[in-house]
């Protein structure tokens, strides 16, 4: 499957294997992982929420773009949703291509665009409350 | 006409629900929908930020004309995103 949104633990090896082809000389697998602090505040855990139908549609659109721009035929994206502990893998983007230059460029583009347009949000839980990322300047933390 | 509106993340918490159905006049735009939502759910985007809306899973402008059965969603700033 090209795009997966799941509460299950992501296995980057298994995801990468899906796109391996003998025609490709380069495979890039990007892992997004959950960080233990943000701007000096200790993060205890995170919660990811998606609008699944739209996230799938937007990511498919991004993969169509990387096919057009860099000729990428093999690409897959997996994103965790639900509660994640620190140090877990939240995002896997795997891109394969005959040559490395296109694979690197396409992988960076895909990750950047997912962050920008895929409707997937994360909420960081701190010792004294929590906050939706990207909204701190606009909205007060919801104190637990 | 009836339009489904879904709320996510911060907006879901502010609205206190994850969906509602709005009755709008034929020819209503996303701007009309946002106006009604902000009236019915004053805690949503209470800081006055422009609300980003998707219809049927695509981002649309506030001039977008809605149709019976459309699914609209209010999209808070996306995780780690640059809008």
């Amino acid at each position: 499957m090209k795009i997966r949104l799941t509460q299950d633990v992501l296995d980057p090896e298994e995801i990468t294997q899906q796109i391996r082809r003998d025609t490709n000389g380069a495979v890039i697998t990007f892992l997004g992982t959950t960080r233990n602090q943000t701007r000096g505040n200790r993060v205890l855990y995170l919660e990811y929420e998606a609008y699944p139908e739209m996230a799938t549609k937007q990511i498919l659109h991004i993969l169509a773009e990387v096919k057009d721009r860099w000729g990428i035929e093999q690409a897959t994206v997996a994103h965790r949703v639900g509660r994640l502990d620190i140090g877990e893998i939240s995002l896997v983007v795997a891109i394969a291509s005959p040559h490395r230059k296109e694979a690197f460029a396409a992988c960076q583009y895909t990750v950047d665009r997912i962050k920008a347009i895929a409707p997937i949000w994360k909420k960081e839980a701190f010792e004294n409350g929590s906050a939706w990322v990207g909204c701190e300047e606009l909205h007060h933390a919801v104190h637990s | 006409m009836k339009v489904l509106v879904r709320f996510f993340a911060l907006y879901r918490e502010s609205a206190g629900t994850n969906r509602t159905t709005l009755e709008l006049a034929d020819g209503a735009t996303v701007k009309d929908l946002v106006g009604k939502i902000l009236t019915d759910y004053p805690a949503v985007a209470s800081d006055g930020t422009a609300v980003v809306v998707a219809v049927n899973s695509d981002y649309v402008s506030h001039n977008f004309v809605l149709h019976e059965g459309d699914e609209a969603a209010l999209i808070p700033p996306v995780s780690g995103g640059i809008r």
Side-chain angles (χ1 to χ4, degrees):
Chain A
M1 197 187 289
K2 262 193 161 182
I3 294 165
R4 195 195 311 166
L5 301 172
T6 178
Q7 300 203 15
D8 299 335
V9 170
L10 299 178
D11 177 352
E13 183 62 34
E14 179 255 323
I15 293 164
T16 303
Q17 283 303 328
Q18 294 171 15
I19 56 154
R20 296 285 306 276
R21 301 286 185 281
D22 290 347
T23 47
N24 291 322
V27 178
I28 311 286
T29 301
F30 169 88
L31 308 183
T33 58
T34 49
R35 210 172 38 221
N36 67 359
Q37 62 84 31
T38 187
R39 275 171 238 142
N41 295 310
R42 185 167 165 240
V43 177
L44 305 178
Y45 62 92
L46 300 94
E47 285 177 54
Y48 284 80
E49 177 175 336
Y51 177 6
E53 304 94 320
M54 181 173 173
T56 301
K57 186 171 182 179
Q58 296 295 323
I59 295 169
L60 275 173
H61 179 66
I62 295 166
L63 296 184
E65 283 184 303
V66 302
K67 186 175 178 182
D68 283 350
R69 281 182 69 170
W70 292 287
I72 302 297
E73 301 280 352
Q74 282 84 39
T76 187
V77 173
H79 207 302
R80 277 285 291 280
V81 292
R83 179 179 161 142
L84 274 74
D85 291 324
I86 300 307
E88 289 202 83
I89 297 167
S90 53
L91 170 65
V92 179
V93 174
I95 304 265
S97 160
H99 303 288
R100 68 184 179 280
K101 190 177 168 192
E102 290 75 17
F104 274 119
C107 191
Q108 170 134 32
Y109 181 83
T110 301
V111 174
D112 288 349
R113 291 302 286 162
I114 289 170
K115 300 272 184 186
I117 67 168
I120 301 169
W121 301 270
K122 75 176 172 190
K123 189 182 194 181
E124 293 175 328
F126 304 108
E127 278 154 336
N128 59 351
S130 59
W132 290 100
V133 169
C135 311
E136 294 102 326
E137 315 81 38
L138 310 176
H139 301 277
H140 305 298
V142 180
H143 288 283
S144 52
Chain B
M1 63 174 171
K2 285 189 164 55
V3 173
L4 174 67
V5 183
R6 294 176 69 177
F7 301 97
F8 293 94
L10 182 70
Y11 292 163
R12 176 179 51 73
E13 291 182 348
S14 303
T17 182
N18 62 9
R19 63 181 62 211
T20 187
T21 303
L22 288 188
E23 182 67 46
L24 295 168
D26 286 350
T29 63
V30 164
K31 186 181 177 188
D32 300 322
L33 178 145
V34 170
K36 189 152 171 46
I37 289 291
L38 297 187
T39 304
D40 292 353
Y41 301 93
V44 172
S46 56
D47 56 4
T49 47
V51 175
V52 173
V53 176
V55 174
N56 303 330
S57 292
D58 284 314
Y59 292 101
V60 296
S61 76
H62 282 208
N63 298 325
F64 186 89
V65 177
L66 295 159
H67 295 93
E68 169 76 29
D70 278 347
E71 176 175 302
L74 270 61
I75 307 290
V78 170
S79 169
I82 320 141
R83 298 206 69 88

